[in-house]
């Protein structure tokens, strides 16, 4: 039984030694014959790559794949899954926010309790700016309302999987990757573990508010077509309103032709409103077309710049 840890790293030079130490500490408690760590250097601009090369020289089970530039965490996850050889594969962050001390319990759930995959979620969002928590909650409520793929609030990408689950995920080679959705979409018998939110050990988060907002749109567009239906619905609704208005105005015109002169304010409001709704619907349409456009180009999800033997 071999366990692979997949660790996406983007400018994580500060935490890598801490991470390595933590994995070493937990190793004796892991009931697996072999352990390998696949670090994915996501085009870091600091010393991350040289540290990983050093790790690999000291210990051949610490492997790495390095990208030619920053492709994002989703690409790093995909690359890691492709390069991992283990029967059990675990995704985790380098910054210690996914505590390695949880690994023995996760492995146990797969080996003893017959689960195919073990997911983790944060029981609290403490230590996070309140505004970020608020938007996160809104996002989960919204997407779970409109998508058949139900996402778990607070779920992290810290996840242990058996080989068949990994194969199922690798069989989804889509370019616009939203892992939280993909994990749920493939299904399998899943156990959820909860833990308290941990602050990152060193370095800083790579996710700005805008990056997260963009990521949430990615999730909605990748896993739901409801916004498209919403656009058609708004169109229909406006048509019905227009027909009623036409009848009312026509009748009024014949009863008293002079009233039409008073309509300037309402006319301008209507033009603005309908113009807005039209642009919104075109925008929604555009989002899906853009995703389809990127998808049909069939560009590689990442490009390898170098890797360990
Ligand atoms: N990460 C990555 N590529 C990126 C951004 C982040 O591989 O473009 C990695 C990062 O090195 C870390 C993990 O993804 O191991 C989570 O990132 P971070 O801790 O910044 O996110 P947060 O925990 O704040 O959500
Ligand atoms: Mg983090």
């Amino acid at each position: 039984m071999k366990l692979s840890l997949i660790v996406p790293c983007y400018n994580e030079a500060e935490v890598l030694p801490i991470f390595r130490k933590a994995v070493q500490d937990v190793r004796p408690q892991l009931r697996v014959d072999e352990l390998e760590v696949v670090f994915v250097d996501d085009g870091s601009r600091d010393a991350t790559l040289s540290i990983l090369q050093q790790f690999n020289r000291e210990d051949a089970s610490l492997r790495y794949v390095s990208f030619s530039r920053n492709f994002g965490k989703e690409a790093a996850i995909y690359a890691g899954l492709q390069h991992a050889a283990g029967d059990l594969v675990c995704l985790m962050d380098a910054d210690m926010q996914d505590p390695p001390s949880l690994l023995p319990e996760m492995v146990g759930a797969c080996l003893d309790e017959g689960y195919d995959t073990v997911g983790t979620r944060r029981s609290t969002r403490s230590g996070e700016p309140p505004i970020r928590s608020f938007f996160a909650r809104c996002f989960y409520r919204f997407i779970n309302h409109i998508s058949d793929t139900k996402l778990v609030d607070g779920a992290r990408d810290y996840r242990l999987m058996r080989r068949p689950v990994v194969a199922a995920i690798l069989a989804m080679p889509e370019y616009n990757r939203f892992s939280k959705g993909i994990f749920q979409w493939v299904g399998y018998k899943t156990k959820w573990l909860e833990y308290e939110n941990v602050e990152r050990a060193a370095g800083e988060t790579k996710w700005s508010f805008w990056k997260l907002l963009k990521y949430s749109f990615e999730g909605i567009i990748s896993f739901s077509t409801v916004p498209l239906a919403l656009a058609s619905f708004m169109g229909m609704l406006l048509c019905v309103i227009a027909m009623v208005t036409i009848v009312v105005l026509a009748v009024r015109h014949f009863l008293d032709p002079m009233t039409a002169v008073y309509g300037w304010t309402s006319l301008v409001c209507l033009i603005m409103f309908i113009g807005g709704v039209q642009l919104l619907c075109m925008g929604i349409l555009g989002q899906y077309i853009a995703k389809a456009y990127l998808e049909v180009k069939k560009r590689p999800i990442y490009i390898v710049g170098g890797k360990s033997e």
Side-chain angles (χ1 to χ4, degrees), residues 114-126:
Y115 286 100
D116 296 308
T117 163
V118 184
T120 59
R121 56 187 299 249
R122 298 188 289 184
S123 51
T124 59
R125 284 185 172 274
S126 61

Side-chain angles (χ1 to χ4, degrees), residues 87-266:
D87 311 293
L88 292 175
V89 174
C90 186
L91 288 172
M92 61 198 299
D93 289 359
D95 59 5
M96 305 291 294
Q97 279 189 303
D98 298 337
S101 53
L102 222 61
L103 277 172
E105 196 183 341
M106 294 167 84
V107 172
C110 266
L111 295 185
D112 309 329
E113 297 168 45
Y115 286 100
D116 296 308
T117 163
V118 184
T120 59
R121 56 187 299 249
R122 298 188 289 184
S123 51
T124 59
R125 284 185 172 274
S126 61
E128 193 181 62
I131 185 87
R132 195 163 145 175
S133 308
F134 172 75
F135 278 105
R137 284 219 182 81
C138 289
F139 165 71
Y140 282 108
R141 202 168 300 160
F142 181 64
I143 194 162
N144 283 337
H145 214 75
I146 63 171
S147 169
D148 295 333
T149 309
K150 301 292 174 229
L151 301 187
V152 178
D153 189 357
R156 303 211 24 113
D157 291 338
Y158 188 17
R159 180 177 280 263
L160 183 76
M161 302 168 249
R162 280 175 186 281
R163 180 55 43 189
V165 184
V166 176
I169 292 172
L170 287 177
M172 294 171 79
E174 55 206 72
Y175 183 78
N176 296 287
R177 303 190 72 76
F178 184 71
S179 285
K180 285 184 201 311
I182 291 176
F183 296 149
Q184 287 302 110
W185 194 86
V186 297
Y188 287 101
K189 207 174 151 208
T190 308
K191 178 172 184 169
W192 287 96
L193 297 181
E194 291 202 2
Y195 66 93
E196 289 268 326
N197 193 22
V198 196
E199 299 277 321
R200 92 185 340 270
E204 54 194 47
T205 176
K206 276 86 202 172
W207 292 89
S208 64
F209 183 75
W210 289 112
K211 251 179 138 177
L212 278 175
L213 194 71
K214 232 181 96 191
Y215 187 61
S216 64
F217 280 130
E218 186 98 8
I220 292 167
I221 290 166
S222 296
F223 281 90
S224 173
T225 50
V226 168
L228 284 175
L230 199 72
S232 335
F233 175 75
M234 275 195 284
M236 278 192 296
L237 191 72
L238 277 182
C239 283
V240 172
I241 294 176
M243 275 187 273
V244 173
T245 317
I246 287 169
V247 172
V248 171
L249 290 184
V251 169
R252 200 174 67 163
H253 177 77
F254 285 116
L255 292 182
D256 179 6
M258 286 310 288
T259 53
V261 183
Y262 299 114
W264 191 84
T265 314
S266 57

Side-chain angles (χ1 to χ4, degrees), residues 263-272:
W264 191 84
T265 314
S266 57
L267 199 65
V268 171
C269 292
L270 274 176
I271 290 172
M272 304 275 270

